[in-house]
Each structure stands twice: as structure tokens, then as C-alpha cells.
Amino acid sequence: MSAALIIALSIVVVGLVLYVHHRLTDGNSASDDVPQQEQPLAEAVEEEVECCGQHAVCERDSLLAAVSDKIVYYDDEDLDVYAGRDPDSYSDSETEQFRDVLLTLLPDDIAGWARSIQLRGIALPAEVRDELIMMISEARASRNHA
């Protein structure tokens, strides 16, 4: 019982931190008040429609599986055991496996890793998915403002 309470509290805290970060960095728009439905990872981050997928830079940053159907491994072959698994069923240690891989990626490899995970049929745990989306959005924003 206490483990479930700790997990629930951790999720709430992470959610609040992400919400506050989002509000502080993106401003107060009307779309912030609308709850997002669970959507594919590619759609969750596709804010910039200018990318046609025909250029090396666009392809590197795109999360669309249609851009490239080539699976690239980032020393994460052990994650293949999670293919087809429900993202809500991961234990804390399994979630940490995903987080460890994500946090050791080079910034330019993050979008490619996300695309590779999609192509391999692996659903990310919700917390890691949120962190991934935030990292990709921040990387795109810093490149666009640089």
C-alpha cells in the first residue's frame, strides 16, 4: 500500500514540476488549459510543420516513423523485451532502464532514438515519454532561437 502511495505521489510531483516548467517557458496560452489526450509520440512533438523530411537536419529531428523505417540501436537492445507492452505496466526499475538510456543519449540522438523506439513497437513509460517530449521541445526551441 505504501509503495503505491509513493509512486502516485512521485507521479503527481513530476507532473507539477513539468506543468510549472511548461507554463514558465511557453507563456500562458489558451491551449495550456486543455488537457491533452494520449497521442502518438510523433504527434505530441510535431509543432513545427516546416520540416518536409527531405533534408538531413529535418530527418534527424523528426519523430515520424515514415521519415525513415531504419531501426537504429543506441546501445539499447535490452529494451526490445518491452515491445508490445502496455506503458502503464512498467515497474520502477523498468522505467529507470528507459530513463538511463534517455539521459545518456547525445542531444542530436534523442529524436532518432524516439523514432527507433516507435519502429520497434516499444511504448515508453509515461514519465519517460513526458521527459523525452520536453527534451526534444527544448532542443528545437534552443536551435530555433540560436
Side-chain angles (χ1 to χ4, degrees), residues 23-78:
R23 291 290 241 171
L24 292 175
T25 58
D26 291 345
N28 295 330
S29 67
S31 65
D32 288 341
D33 297 330
V34 179
Q36 274 189 322
Q37 296 288 331
E38 225 12 73
Q39 52 184 260
L41 188 57
E43 292 177 16
V45 180
E46 285 305 316
E47 295 173 357
E48 295 127 28
V49 206
E50 301 97 33
C51 181
C52 63
Q54 299 298 316
H55 304 92
V57 174
C58 292
E59 188 170 322
R60 183 190 73 214
D61 290 341
S62 179
L63 297 180
L64 297 174
V67 170
S68 172
D69 59 355
K70 181 181 177 189
I71 295 175
V72 178
Y73 285 92
Y74 297 84
D75 292 328
D76 64 343
E77 294 83 3
D78 52 329

Side-chain angles (χ1 to χ4, degrees), residues 65-136:
V67 170
S68 172
D69 59 355
K70 181 181 177 189
I71 295 175
V72 178
Y73 285 92
Y74 297 84
D75 292 328
D76 64 343
E77 294 83 3
D78 52 329
L79 298 180
D80 282 342
V81 298
Y82 302 119
R85 193 155 154 201
D86 182 45
D88 295 328
S89 69
Y90 294 118
S91 70
D92 289 342
S93 63
E94 292 169 334
T95 300
E96 281 305 312
Q97 278 185 285
F98 285 97
R99 186 173 283 119
D100 287 343
V101 172
L102 175 61
L103 295 178
T104 58
L105 291 170
L106 296 172
D108 289 342
D109 290 340
I110 294 173
W113 179 71
R115 188 172 53 244
S116 175
I117 288 290
Q118 284 181 303
L119 290 170
R120 291 156 52 192
I122 301 171
L124 293 172
E127 304 90 36
V128 176
R129 181 180 182 272
D130 293 342
E131 292 170 17
L132 173 68
I133 291 170
M134 185 175 66
M135 290 171 76
I136 292 173

